[in-house]
Amino acid sequence: MKRFIKHMAIPALCCIMTLTLFRVFFFLGYVPTSSMEPTIRQGSFIVAARMAYWSSEPNVGDIIVFSHDGKVLVKRVAVAGEAAWTWKGPETVPCGMLYLLGDNIDASIDSRLWVDPFVPVENVIARYYE
């Protein structure tokens, strides 16, 4: 029995450490659409940093992983605090909110088309580094 416990301790510890790393520091995701091409190819797996925004907010140009309408998405921060074009026309992005676009404008369903075009900063999960 002691031998079995010794042989299982290292794999169990590695498994716990890996799970902790991905729950606290990293995000592993899949990009099923072409909305972020050519930056991120359709069908790509990505690793993003969860701790990137612990002390700051996303900047214009950052690629972020976020939740919106029950889905986890990847888009680029396009506008923060300025006017942006929505399906209703030009609107000012409220404080604490983000306007997000896919890099492949023709294939991306993003802030331009959403009924609620602005995403709260609290919905940001991680930052993807190119």
Side-chain angles (χ1 to χ4, degrees):
M1 183 66 168
K2 283 185 180 183
R3 184 179 173 130
F4 176 76
I5 292 173
K6 282 183 181 179
H7 287 297
M8 292 306 294
I10 292 175
L13 184 60
C14 288
C15 192
I16 290 168
M17 288 176 58
T18 301
L19 288 172
T20 301
L21 281 172
F22 279 95
R23 294 294 287 161
V24 178
F25 298 105
F26 301 107
F27 174 87
L28 180 63
Y30 176 72
V31 181
T33 67
S34 62
S35 70
M36 286 302 293
E37 286 186 348
T39 308
I40 304 173
R41 297 185 57 129
Q42 180 177 357
S44 295
F45 286 93
I46 63 167
V47 176
R50 289 185 185 268
M51 69 278 188
Y53 299 115
W54 285 355
S55 62
S56 66
E57 292 189 4
N59 297 313
V60 172
D62 288 353
I63 297 175
I64 61 170
V65 178
F66 62 99
S67 61
H68 181 72
D69 289 341
K71 297 177 185 174
V72 175
L73 303 170
V74 179
K75 302 284 182 212
R76 189 179 297 275
V77 178
V79 178
E82 298 177 19
W85 186 261
T86 69
W87 64 276
K88 298 179 207 172
E91 291 186 59
T92 301
V93 180
C95 186
M97 305 290 265
L98 302 169
Y99 183 84
L100 305 164
L101 298 175
D103 286 357
N104 184 355
I105 293 293
D106 295 331
S108 183
I109 297 173
D110 48 36
S111 286
R112 297 168 299 137
L113 305 172
W114 295 332
V115 173
D116 185 16
F118 307 116
V119 175
V121 172
E122 299 85 48
N123 289 13
V124 175
I125 297 168
R127 177 179 181 193
Y128 174 76
Y129 292 91
E130 300 176 63

